[in-house]
Amino acid sequence: MRIGVNVPNFGPGTDPGVLRGWAQTVEGLGFDLLMVSDHVVVTPDVAEQYPAPFYEPFTTLAWLAGITGRVRLGTTVLIAPYRHPLLTARMAANLNQLSGGRLVLGVASGWARQEFAALGVPFGRRGKLTDDTLLAIRAARDDTEDYRAGPIPLWIGGNSDAGIRRAVRLGDAWHPLRNTLPWLRDAVDRVKAIAGDRPAPAFVPRIILRITRSQVTGPDRLAGEGTIGQVIEDLEQLRLLGAETVVLDPFDGDPDETLHPEAKWQMLAAVAAHWDLHPRMEQL
């Protein structure tokens, strides 16, 4: 099982120097994958969760590709309706080729109504627009003469049955976000049931990373929350559930965290010290 990290590409403390520090930390500790988020317009509904400045993911990942050498680079998740499907397919193909085949494209349909309105994109058509984008990228993967995209993995985000159905139809993996371990365990069975006779997509969850001094108990405990022992046990349970990759999300919701990323880097170092990443590096 591979382990990735969701890097904050937003917030008052984020700048090129901090992004470089994140990349050096993630790659240096031996993690497999570095992912960033996507918003284009920081409307009030976006700013409540992801305050400005917000670094655009394709631009950011292209820059990070030039200052890293091994770590895979991805989106968790790209909001597909915000860009024309052919533009997204072109940017993804180019980024994958320029980075040496390191792109992982997580895609979802989005939720920020005010941002949709600011971009002039009809919120009610976001599902159809997302499907159009996925079809365009799949076509680009087959077009070796023009796009030369290579095998870009398509991860479909979203915790709903609609997201699972989209992953079964058009994706390579299902990418649920931040939930409890019992919910994730049940969700694996839900994916198999929805897939039916079709191949089930790979299971690649994103979980919170919140290391505490004392144990966190109760039914609402999120996977990845608690002592380092609890976090490692959660990773082991996800491995047993068949997860191919688990993405750790260290952002805890306070924008001021981005001013002091060192605390989050220490949490990542603790995970690296307790979960042997190096055998997974040898498989790349």
Side-chain angles (χ1 to χ4, degrees), residues 136-155:
I137 296 169
R138 291 174 66 90
R141 294 194 303 192
D142 296 333
D143 188 346
T144 58
E145 181 177 348
D146 181 5
Y147 284 85
R148 303 178 181 179
I152 303 171
L154 292 174
W155 292 10

Side-chain angles (χ1 to χ4, degrees), residues 9 37-39 54-61 78 83 91:
N9 54 320
S37 303
D38 179 31
H39 283 287
F54 206 108
Y55 285 74
E56 195 277 330
F58 279 115
T59 309
T60 302
L61 292 176
L78 189 82
R83 301 165 182 83
M91 290 192 294

Side-chain angles (χ1 to χ4, degrees), residues 10 15 49 60 92 105 117 140 143-144 184 190 248 255 269:
F10 54 84
D15 60 25
Q49 299 186 46
T60 302
L105 199 67
D143 188 346
T144 58
L184 291 166
R190 191 153 45 104
L248 303 175

Side-chain angles (χ1 to χ4, degrees), residues 110-170:
W111 55 269
R113 288 178 176 270
Q114 293 174 349
E115 188 174 20
F116 272 82
L119 292 167
V121 179
F123 187 79
R125 296 190 62 235
R126 66 192 186 284
K128 173 63 165 58
L129 294 170
T130 300
D131 289 351
D132 290 345
T133 295
L134 291 167
L135 288 168
I137 296 169
R138 291 174 66 90
R141 294 194 303 192
D142 296 333
D143 188 346
T144 58
E145 181 177 348
D146 181 5
Y147 284 85
R148 303 178 181 179
I152 303 171
L154 292 174
W155 292 10
I156 310 304
N159 294 357
S160 66
D161 285 355
I164 296 174
R165 287 193 294 269
R166 181 171 287 116
V168 170
R169 288 187 296 109
L170 298 172

